[in-house]
Amino acid sequence: MWKRMFGPDLRREWYLIKMPEGPMKQYYRKPIPWPETDYRELEYLCIDLELTGLNPETDEILSVGFAPIVDQNVILSESAHYLVRPSGELPEDSVVVHGLTDDRLAEAEPLEDVLPHVLMALSGRVLFAHHAPIELGFLNVACERIYGYPLLTRAVDTLELEKRNRQQRNQPLDGGVLRLAKARESYNLPRYRAHNALVDAVASGELFLAQAAHKTAKGEKITLRELMFRNR
C-alpha cells in the first residue's frame, strides 16, 4: 500500500538513504524526470531487450541495446549494445526470433556486469521503448534480484502513443499497425532489420521523435505527463 501512497520521487529519496553504495545508488542520485516538464527539455534513453521469453520472473535477458535522445536527436555516439550470457541453454523457439545462439553468448558478460552500464545511461533520463512494459518488467526484476531494490523511472511507450494517436484520428488498430515497423511506416520512416536490440532501440527513438513532432505540429506545449506510459 505504501507504494501507492508515496510516489516514485519520495520512494527514491527513501531508497537513497537505505541502500549501500553501488550502481543502483548512483542511478538514484539523479532525480527522476518531473512529469510536468516540457518533453523537449528532457533527455530520454530508448531501450530494447532481446529475451528468452516474455515472463520477467522466469525468462532471461540475452541482449540490451540503448541510445539516448538529447535535444531531440538520437545520439548514436553514446549508444551501446551488450550481449548477456544466459544461465542455461536457450529455448529453440527464442533462437528463431532473435538469432542469438548458445555459442555466440557463451563468452558474453553476465547480466550483473551489463546492468550497471544501463543504469548509468538511464540515470536522470526518461526510459522509453516500443511496448515498454516488457523492458520495464525485465529491468525491474533484474534490479530487485541483483541489488534488492526496484527500478523507479518514468517511461514512454511508443506503442501506446501510436495507439492513442490512431484512436484520436479514428483509424483502425488491426493489421499489425502498432508493430514497430508498421508504426514507422506511418511516418515515412525507413524499414530496419528487426530483433537486434540496438537497431530496435534506435528505431523506436526515431519513431518517438516523429510521434512527438506530429503531436506538437500546432506549436502547443506538451508535458512529459501527456506522453507517459499510463500504467506507471
Side-chain angles (χ1 to χ4, degrees), residues 30-105:
K30 287 188 179 178
I32 301 170
W34 186 243
E36 305 308 330
T37 309
D38 187 319
Y39 88 95
R40 292 165 294 194
E41 298 174 5
L42 297 169
E43 295 187 5
Y44 302 80
L45 191 73
C46 32
I47 297 181
D48 188 80
L49 307 176
E50 295 299 324
L51 308 160
T52 60
L54 297 178
N55 187 335
E57 301 292 343
T58 57
D59 291 307
E60 296 186 64
I61 297 172
L62 300 178
S63 70
V64 182
F66 62 75
I69 289 182
V70 180
D71 294 332
Q72 303 303 291
N73 292 294
V74 179
I75 310 299
L76 293 177
S77 61
E78 296 180 23
S79 65
H81 183 223
Y82 295 94
L83 298 179
V84 180
R85 187 168 68 237
S87 62
E89 291 187 3
L90 299 177
E92 290 185 10
D93 54 349
S94 74
V95 175
V96 172
V97 174
H98 48 64
L100 298 171
T101 61
D102 292 298
D103 289 345
R104 189 176 175 194
L105 297 177

Side-chain angles (χ1 to χ4, degrees), residues 54-168:
L54 297 178
N55 187 335
E57 301 292 343
T58 57
D59 291 307
E60 296 186 64
I61 297 172
L62 300 178
S63 70
V64 182
F66 62 75
I69 289 182
V70 180
D71 294 332
Q72 303 303 291
N73 292 294
V74 179
I75 310 299
L76 293 177
S77 61
E78 296 180 23
S79 65
H81 183 223
Y82 295 94
L83 298 179
V84 180
R85 187 168 68 237
S87 62
E89 291 187 3
L90 299 177
E92 290 185 10
D93 54 349
S94 74
V95 175
V96 172
V97 174
H98 48 64
L100 298 171
T101 61
D102 292 298
D103 289 345
R104 189 176 175 194
L105 297 177
E107 302 300 323
E109 296 178 277
L111 185 60
E112 287 80 354
D113 292 349
V114 172
L115 197 53
H117 299 290
V118 180
L119 292 175
M120 183 182 300
L122 181 59
S123 184
R125 289 170 167 160
V126 179
L127 180 153
F128 79 80
H130 198 72
H131 200 16
I134 297 292
E135 277 70 18
L136 286 168
F138 273 86
L139 291 175
N140 186 57
V141 168
C143 287
E144 290 193 325
R145 177 176 64 82
I146 295 172
Y147 304 117
Y149 290 90
L151 178 68
L152 297 179
T153 183
R154 290 196 165 90
V156 173
D157 183 351
T158 47
L159 186 150
E160 186 182 76
L161 278 182
E162 189 60 24
K163 183 177 180 180
R164 286 188 224 163
N165 291 342
R166 295 187 73 87
Q167 288 174 328
Q168 289 170 357

Side-chain angles (χ1 to χ4, degrees), residues 1 27 57 61 110 123 140 160 181 213 215 222-223 232:
M1 177 180 289
Y27 167 77
E57 301 292 343
I61 297 172
S123 184
N140 186 57
E160 186 182 76
K215 291 182 73 68
I222 293 183
T223 64
R232 294 289 290 177

